[in-house]
Amino acid sequence: MANAMTPGVLGAFVHVDAATDAIRALRANGHTDLTVYNAAPNHEIEEALEHKVSPVRMFTLVGGLTGCAAGFAMTIWMSLDWPLLVGGKPFDSVPPYTVLAFELTILFGALFTVAGMMILSFLKPTTKLMYDEKFTDDQIGIFVPCAPGAAGGVEEVMKRAGSVEVRHAS
Amino acid sequence: MTAIATDNRPTQTHAEVTRDVVATLGTQSRGYTLMLFGAVALFLVGALTFVLLLKDGLGLAGYKSPVMWSVYITTFVFWVGIGHAGTLISAILFLFRSPWRTAVYRATEAMTVFAVMTAGLFPIIHIGRQWVFYWLLPYPNQRFLWPNFKSPLLWDVFAIGTYLTVSTTFLVVGLVPDIAAVRDKVTGWRKKVYTLCSLGWTGSDNQWRHYTRGYLYLAALATPLVLSVHSVVSWDFAMSIVPGWHGTIFAPYFVAGAIYSGVGMVFTLLIPLRKVLHLEHMITEYHFDNLAKLTLLTGSILFYAYAMEYFVAWYSGVAAEQTTFYLRAFGPMWWAGWTMIICNAFVSQLFWFKKIRTNIAALFVISIFINIGMWFERYVIIVSSLGNDHLPFAWGQLDPTWADWGILAGSFGWFLMYFLLFARTFPIVAIQEIKEMIPMPRKRAGGHH
Amino acid sequence: MSKETNEEQRPGIDRRQFLTVAGVAGVGTAALSGCSTDRIEKLVPYMVGDEDHVPGVATWYASTCTECPAGCSLHVKTREARAIKLEGNPDSPINGGSLCARGQAGLQGLYNPGRLLGPKRRDADGSYRDITWEEAIAELAAQVGSAGSDVHVLSGAGAGSFTDLLTEWVGALGGSLVRYQPFDNEALRAANQQVFGRGDVPDFAFGKAGFILSFGTDFLETWQGQVENQRGFAESHGYHDGHMAKHVYLGHRMDLTGMNADEWHPTHPGSDAVVALAMANVILSERERAPADAGTLRSVLAAFTPEQASQESGLAPEAIRRIAREFASHKSLAVAGGIGSQHRGAVEACAAVNILNYVSGNVGDTVVFRGGRPAADGYGALESLASELDAGRVAVLIVHDANPVHTVPAATGFADKMAKAGFTVSTASVMDDTASQADLVLPNLHALERWDDLRPAAGVQALMQPVMMPVRDGRATGDVLLEVARTVGGPLSGLDAPSFEAYLKQRWSNIAAARGRTDFRVFWQEALGNGGLFDEAAPGADVRLADGARRIGFQRPTFDGDGEFVFAPYPSSMLYDGRGANKPWLLENPDPVTKITWQSWVELHPDTAASLDVREGEVVRLESPHGSLEAPVYVYQGVHPGVVATPLGLGHTAYGQYAEGRGVNALDLVSGEDGAGFLPYLSARVTLHKTRRYQKLAKTEGNPRQLGRGIAEAMPFAAAVQGQTPAEVHGGHHEVNTEREVEAIAGWGEAQRERLDKGDYQGEHPNWGMVVDLARCTGCSACVTACYAENNIPFVGEQEVVRGREMSWMRIERYFEGGEDGEGFSTRVVPMMCQHCDNAPCEPVCPVFAAYHTPDGLNAQVYNRCVGTRYCGNNCPYKVRYYNWLAYPKLNFEEPLPLQLNPDVTVRARGVMEKCTFCIQRIRGAQHQAAMEDRPLQDGEVTTACAQACPSGAIIFGDQHDPGSRVAQAAEDHRGYHILEDLNVRPSVTYLAKVQHGGEH
């Protein structure tokens, strides 16, 4: 985490309510693009950040529908492309094909979902942000990107909220 | 968090959780090494058998007309079934927000993936010309010969393929945050590896935001698979006109059986594992008690299904059906028939007693019975039904050979090998979900809001 | 052996010339042309054009079968100058177009891996070394030259030019010729001599009889000409528009013939004479219609009452009376003299049956003496030869086409006596039990590789011709004899024919001359093309009773030893006298009664087995005064409780890899002495000892009971006459679907069909179907071997059959009926092959379309596409899909067996499902032919191998869409039904229910 890092302030918190206080205060001060690190998802933090519902579900929906369509299209087209009579059944007998359509619905749905998660996450990369390994263990981190000038104010807010450690990146 | 009954809330702090789980990684304990060694040995037995099958043909196994499916398909269905408990616990119980799954779901999910991986080998092993197994896939070949989508076997290909993909994805996605946690604890080359595997996870609010949603939908998608995959497998039989196979009850009956056998396998795996990895305080009797209740439920469904099969056979008035079921109980394979009924229908009833549900030793013994019973259920359904179908003159009784048992042993080796390697490499207990259950310390006293 | 040496040994013969002579228009010296293995590879190089061999097109030659003395005529199918299939010659009055399993398996004699590569000489140490033909013939000539008149020849060859040459040859030397065939009807001929004053074997008109009574005589298996009898039997006993002969079988064992009887009565062994006489007595005392001179028998017959007969036979007096009356009230036929019931009183028995036939006026009607049936010299002659040998009065012994060491009981010590001969020569082409004792072995050519003719029956002169180059370096014995004659000269100088072919033609030119045919070449080509001359049989002689007829009588035949069971060896319908034991097609074709393959067994009645506490598969030791044997038990309801039965034919000490050391020789328990000029097979008592060892029987039968599933339907004659359907006959047949459901299913089916008008399926197509008439099918299993031959089906061997892995695309299912708690015991047979269902359950389950339905209604299996999931096999309710578990063709088709393979049919690989195709190669062949001639395919132009072979004509094949076709009409028969109809798989094979007499008298 040496050079080319985004300038800003990183505060570490042990207490969850301390962290939420800090978040609210900072957001009140106009620092809306905070990055909050936590080892596990936490409702209080989410509430404090007032996130909207993730759009990942759209990927799931599209994926599912694609799979279903692909399932029916493939089976029906293929059995008409090479028409062979088996067991006196029609070439394109839909009932058995629903099974395949179903399986493809699930498959595509799942793959699209994962793709969605990754795309959306990488849209806001955290690689250039200051980070500390304690955040995957037992501490909550809040990083506020800001010009060196404003850093003091941010640190002040964090301290007041009860952060156990504050570091600056520049 | 109100869902958690206070008596079984994890007592450790976040830091302790991380520490204990990371401690399980790269274990060198003798118990573990022995198990791994045994697994690899078994796997080699199976591999050798398979080479011989490729060389000389399936005739090495006990196959005999009209019993053209036997031990291999039995074992295939057995392993597919095992998988289902994992998905049930990790996906369905996740949707139900049932808290007791947390400690065990990672292990069962891994079990699912490796069980399905094992099952996936059998369609290849059991076909006569293993080297052209890919003809079952709808790939654009030179002459545009497509597979027959009316065949239940093709449904299988898709069902198993989908199941393997989705459950693997589900497992990996769940792992990422934990790998990150491990990454931040270890050092040296291992840190490099875990860094790579953690896909740049930092636990930022944005990541969590999409992650939690995505995970929810993955669980929602995995849920129907629990019901569909084994239904499809059961249709391999139910769609035929073999007496003893041709039954509408098969789908639910197989799904229940699958979960029953899966939970049995969970016991068999976790009871030794938690000892070797010192996780007794994380995977507790409370979890086993709930798993046992699940076993009791599915076992009772099996009990009903067995009874129903006999009733339908009698009520249908179809001579062939009646003969088949009569012979299951009193024919040359009576011993297998009764093994299945006793181990599944009756043994599961022991779980009415909390004393047994919470007695680890008893659970382990019973779980072995469940595994045996469920393997024999498939063996009986497949072999005894085929052995005596419509034309009495063509009847025949199977007698399996070393080649059958070799592959069976190999499949256990293959499965355990992967499972054990997984257990020492990745967190077998879900760090982040445990933490999610543990309220974080607060500066102000009392619950929030 | 290089080509050069070949040329120099056989001057003037090269391949091209050979191919010419091999043809119907043959001239040249084919029989002289040997061939060494290294020339086999180049049988027909494609650059050599030849009018007889168009690559890819079959050439057919007419010839004659030598697998038994019956003399059936053959059509030999050759492809690229290799014989690949034997079928019956339709012109022959003996076998028509059909052929039994043994006859068809002749090919595996031709291509037998055990065939000798060339002549062999035994050294002092008893080992054999290869020698050249020149050395061999020089050796033989030297021996013969020095032996003077002490040359004795033992020959099993039938009446024909070769035998005539042999007779001249031996005669010229002043030696003796003994013609010996194991099943030679000695007793019957003796009885005919006694009763009618003539010692020949009559023709039995089974086809004309309305009531057939067999005294333990297996006329559908080995007695006389099986195919000829079976054709007649099917004609009279096969139900057709209200008529069907009744067949009653009296004997200690229900063999295949007994299985086809309307009534089977287990009688005590050796009691047949008294029963026949009692019946004759009843008839004569009750009826007038009898030849005048029969009256003179009244006094003699009066002594034989049904009551006495009942005591001897265990058959109820009223039964005897009833059968006698039925016998007399029909145009009837009684037969006796079967090998299986040849006890010491066999002559009396045959005489008694002669009387029975005579008093019922059958002689001259259904029993016709034409004097056309040749016979050998009988067992008596062999016995005297044996004593000659024993006395050391034989300098040179030549054994031709006979294997006495195996077919004569060891108790006679024939082998040791043979060893006393100065010099023993065998002409066996395989090292059999006898040849392996000879000093010199001169392998004869196979019947399909040499010239000869046979006179098997009145009016029949059947020709044999080389249809292909010899597979091994054999030489026709006829040519050997002539060459020896040339070398020895002296007394033999009279035999100056340059070759046996020339000798044969010389004789036929006489025939031509006798018929006023001047153009011999044309006459010869016609004869050769037709397979010989088939003239109207001469009218039967007028036969009257001889004085001996009054000397008829009965005393209980004696049985050696004091064992508790009578030992009943019987000839196997597959192995005949044992000559079939080196042919896998016959070893693996299940015995029609027990369904056991590759093994010997001991048949025990269930009660006997229970009282002895032995189970199926337990190995028991049988001991008689003459020897002992050990074989596994098969518990069989159809054998008399006081009898244990074992088939003949196995237990060879040598006879190629398939036969050697396999099973036991039942003759080991039998004595050879009897003094009456025949071998009493049924003459020993045995004690049975348990060994508590078990052997898995290699049988193809799963469960012998139908469990009320209506698989093999049968109906009483009365019901058949009333035109009832099988469903009507046993009301137990439950309808699973209601009217509306049936309509719904049908309607649904039609709706599906309409959606299938696409791709190759557009427009009109034939719909191939089959009808199997169970009233005609006897279960002889000729169709099974035909299927093996036509479709390159690999045999799998004993161990794999035990594993239930036989590949036979066609099987004869044999079901037992009744037999429990006093109920009459009977059997039914069903030929089971792919039913080519319209709604085939096997097709939709195949993931790769390897199993699919062709537009012309065939259930096709694409071997190249099959990946071997075997789901189709599981889902086939008829279990007619067979899986190649272990690359059987590669493992089992040893050189030169692959030369027999049909080039039109794939040899299936390992790991692939295979099944009956309705002989699709024949269908397509006929369609292409018709297309080339620009005409529609006619009904009957194409038939399957099984239908073609069937001696009973029980199988009809054709296009069901053609309302005029035989199959379409036969399928309409009221006896028609589909097996497992409830499954709605719409099979294309319709079975016509069996019809059984009984009840009505």
Side-chain angles (χ1 to χ4, degrees), chain C residues 129-196:
Chain C
R129 75 182 140 82
D130 297 333
I131 54 174
T132 69
W133 274 105
E134 288 61 34
E135 294 164 354
I137 285 166
E139 171 84 44
L140 176 57
Q143 294 286 351
V144 169
S146 58
S149 67
D150 287 350
V151 176
H152 295 248
V153 181
L154 179 64
S155 165
S161 293
F162 172 78
T163 300
D164 300 339
L165 170 66
L166 194 56
T167 318
E168 290 181 48
W169 194 85
V170 179
L173 287 172
S176 82
L177 167 64
V178 172
R179 293 187 46 234
Y180 168 69
Q181 287 162 350
F183 307 154
D184 201 17
N185 305 299
E186 297 97 336
L188 179 60
R189 287 188 280 126
N192 293 348
Q193 187 63 48
Q194 175 192 346
V195 176
F196 301 125

Side-chain angles (χ1 to χ4, degrees), chain C residues 63-66 110 445-451 464-467:
Chain C
S63 186
T64 307
C65 179
T66 57
L110 172 65
L445 289 175
H446 188 273
L448 296 171
E449 298 167 331
R450 59 179 151 92
W451 294 98
M464 292 146 64
Q465 60 177 320
V467 302

Side-chain angles (χ1 to χ4, degrees), chain C residues 57 182 261 331 402 456 606 632 684:
Chain C
V57 176
K331 180 194 282 282

